[in-house]
Amino acid sequence: SQVLETAYRTYRNENIGAILLATDGNYNKGSHPLYTNPQLQAPIYTLVMGDTTHPKDISISAVYHNDIAYLGDLFQVHVDIRAHLLKGKKGRLQILGKKNGKFTSLDQKDFVIEQTDFFKSYTLSIPALTSGYQRYIVKVTQYSDEINTDNNTSNFYVDVLEARQKILIIADGPHPDIGTIKQALAANKNNQVTIQYADDFNFSSRETDLVVLHQLPSYLHPVSKLLKDLKEKHIPTLFVTGLQTKYLALNEAQDAVFIRPGNRAKISEVTASINRSFNGFHLSEMLSSNLEGFPSLVTAYGSFKPKPNAQVFLKQKILKVETENPLMVFSNRNGRKCGVLCAEGIYKWRLFDFLHYHTHDITEELIQNIVRYLIVKEDKSRFRVKPTQAFFKESDRVRFYAERYNSIYEKDNSAEVDFTLKDSADNTYKYTFSRTEDAYTLDIGKLPAGTYKYTASTQLDGIIKHKSGSFTVSIIDIENTKTNANLPLLLALAEQSGGQTIYPSQLDSLPQLIRAEHRLKPISYNTVRTRPLIHLKWPLFLLLLTLSIEWFLRRYHGKY
């Protein structure tokens, strides 16, 4: 589908007579090619690549599982099995996971292949025994007369967490922003999100990791006791302001921003401008390059000033003028983190995100990063090292980021940072971080699948400091599931568009097939351009000369 969409974006203004698509017809990501809107209106000629025969084979065609599970829980895994020309054979499906450091069968099912073309789905339940990013192996019986046995095994990975993060949203009243925040947070299954309203809410500090206050405190619901409890018990809090917010009480409830509104009847429409010096968390290239083009939000008309030691993440932009007024600002005082979003209307960002990019990824990443920054306890160490992703695939480049601080907690990258990587076979690799403006980065490149341990070291005040950890590179084996050409799909794709399906041996006949297509017609273009005669010197000179000769002859012969 992406091939056809890219062709449309690239050639939509050109007269395309035909598209030649050379493929085996197997797709494992994206939408079904037949359901892609053929916007180019050109016939597609499919060139069949790969073997079209179907030998004896049993394969794991799909594995469906949770991305996240919780320690001690049972979670279900759905496995689809296909078999061809193996009728009457008995088989066994099993899932293996690590138990006491070794891969052990966690659940299994026996089956009989009842048809020549066999397909069946099975559900297995396995326990989450160890926290962290865990690898599981799905295996189905191998038969001696199979040509391809790679598709008898499949790997999947589950992030096993010890506990959920409990997030409580308390709102002054219903608002579309509340749904946007909840949907973005609920997309991360590590979050347990609850919505309550100010006229009837139940707050317990022991059961809450973060509180989101939407347009609270307000004139109708000052929630003074709640604000006092949040401050005294150091509960991280995200304030989302709006037209109902009571700003005088808000200024006292947090240490991030001071807001002095003007006339309550006046509002301002502002867009976001990213503060590039903010280093609380890292933004993806997609978010960083596109957020500033998102629709405007509504905020109070007045004065916005960050309080001392506050960190401004987003600034307000009015029309195309960037101001110093904060739009999203954080504070961390006495061990309590607060964030203030000084506007309402982020539901428009979610709609815009889907309209232009067909996902909610940018909005979800933004909200999840804000909440993650508020919940995570600050690392007070002077040497910090972390991977840029929670986990990696074989196709990803493995990158690390490091920071080093001096005795007064200023970033200092004057000393080198060494990095030692050890794979599961105890092979050791050594690297050195590269310096950036005030930190360090390391790009290891792509690594084979497996579990890796790392140790980073640097010198602080004459003492060698170490940071250790581990990460997993997951196996990508989706290409091994289907190795034969999907001829029915290629035939249907060609027929739907008015093209034909050909084989490599017929490639020489393709020009004749395309020329015979009645829709393949050239388009002629003509351009009319006018120029003042005064700009054409020689024609103008000849015209003036002939006029002058005519005038002279008429005068000479006495005729006017």
Side-chain angles (χ1 to χ4, degrees), residues 108 117 123 139 235 244 255 292 294 299 303 332 337 349 440 469 482 522:
Q108 64 184 33
D117 288 313
T123 300
K139 296 180 69 175
I235 305 296
Q244 306 303 319
D255 299 299
E292 296 185 1
F294 274 42
T299 187
S303 170
N332 185 358
K337 286 185 177 180
W349 287 4
Y440 303 85
K482 297 178 182 178

Side-chain angles (χ1 to χ4, degrees), residues 180-197:
T180 295
I181 295 171
K182 180 178 180 179
Q183 288 173 316
L185 296 178
N188 181 350
K189 295 182 181 179
N190 189 28
N191 296 329
Q192 179 180 321
V193 187
T194 305
I195 297 177
Q196 298 182 11
Y197 292 97

Side-chain angles (χ1 to χ4, degrees), residues 54-309:
H54 291 276
K56 292 182 179 181
D57 185 49
I58 185 170
S59 65
I60 300 168
S61 61
V63 179
Y64 305 97
H65 59 89
N66 294 338
D67 293 326
I68 292 175
Y70 293 91
L71 190 64
D73 287 354
L74 282 174
F75 64 96
Q76 292 186 334
V77 179
H78 302 275
V79 183
D80 291 346
I81 301 295
R82 289 185 183 275
H84 185 68
L85 299 177
L86 293 170
K87 183 178 179 180
K89 297 275 189 180
K90 294 181 180 180
R92 172 174 293 176
L93 172 67
Q94 57 181 336
I95 298 181
L96 287 72
K98 278 196 173 180
K99 187 176 183 180
N100 300 323
K102 295 182 179 180
F103 278 100
T104 306
S105 178
L106 302 178
D107 195 9
Q108 64 184 33
K109 284 188 182 293
D110 294 327
F111 59 89
V112 176
I113 301 174
E114 301 168 344
Q115 298 173 342
T116 302
D117 288 313
F118 176 79
F119 173 85
K120 197 163 185 179
S121 296
Y122 296 94
T123 300
L124 295 88
S125 298
I126 60 176
L129 300 174
T130 309
S131 62
Y133 197 59
Q134 300 298 322
R135 174 191 173 194
Y136 296 91
I137 303 173
V138 185
K139 296 180 69 175
V140 70
T141 303
Q142 295 183 8
Y143 300 102
S144 58
D145 47 358
E146 283 189 81
I147 295 176
N148 176 26
T149 58
D150 288 341
N151 54 15
N152 293 56
T153 304
S154 180
N155 295 268
F156 69 93
Y157 295 80
V158 176
D159 193 4
V160 180
L161 306 172
E162 294 188 8
R164 289 178 173 89
Q165 294 175 337
K166 298 178 180 179
I167 301 171
L168 175 61
I169 301 175
I170 305 177
D172 180 67
H175 194 283
D177 281 356
I178 301 169
T180 295
I181 295 171
K182 180 178 180 179
Q183 288 173 316
L185 296 178
N188 181 350
K189 295 182 181 179
N190 189 28
N191 296 329
Q192 179 180 321
V193 187
T194 305
I195 297 177
Q196 298 182 11
Y197 292 97
D199 53 3
D200 183 22
F201 68 90
N202 182 24
F203 165 71
S204 172
S205 60
R206 289 179 297 179
E207 299 178 359
T208 307
D209 296 303
L210 173 78
V211 174
V212 179
L213 296 180
H214 188 270
Q215 301 204 40
L216 292 174
S218 66
Y219 288 91
L220 183 61
H221 301 108
V223 294
S224 305
K225 185 179 183 304
L226 173 63
L227 296 176
K228 182 180 179 182
D229 289 344
L230 294 174
K231 182 176 286 189
E232 289 179 351
K233 295 173 182 177
H234 305 289
I235 305 296
T237 309
L238 173 62
F239 295 88
V240 181
T241 70
L243 301 181
Q244 306 303 319
T245 301
K246 187 177 181 180
Y247 289 100
L248 182 61
L250 174 68
N251 292 335
E252 296 177 357
Q254 46 77 35
D255 299 299
V257 63
F258 182 84
I259 302 175
R260 179 180 293 166
N263 189 335
R264 283 193 65 192
K266 291 185 177 182
I267 60 172
S268 293
E269 292 194 359
V270 299
T271 54
S273 174
I274 298 174
N275 179 15
R276 302 295 172 178
S277 62
F278 176 79
N279 58 7
F281 47 81
H282 299 284
L283 306 178
S284 69
E285 183 178 347
M286 186 74 172
L287 191 154
S288 180
S289 58
N290 293 292
L291 181 62
E292 296 185 1
F294 274 42
S296 61
L297 306 180
V298 175
T299 187
Y301 177 80
S303 170
F304 297 77
K305 291 185 179 180
K307 293 185 178 181
N309 300 319

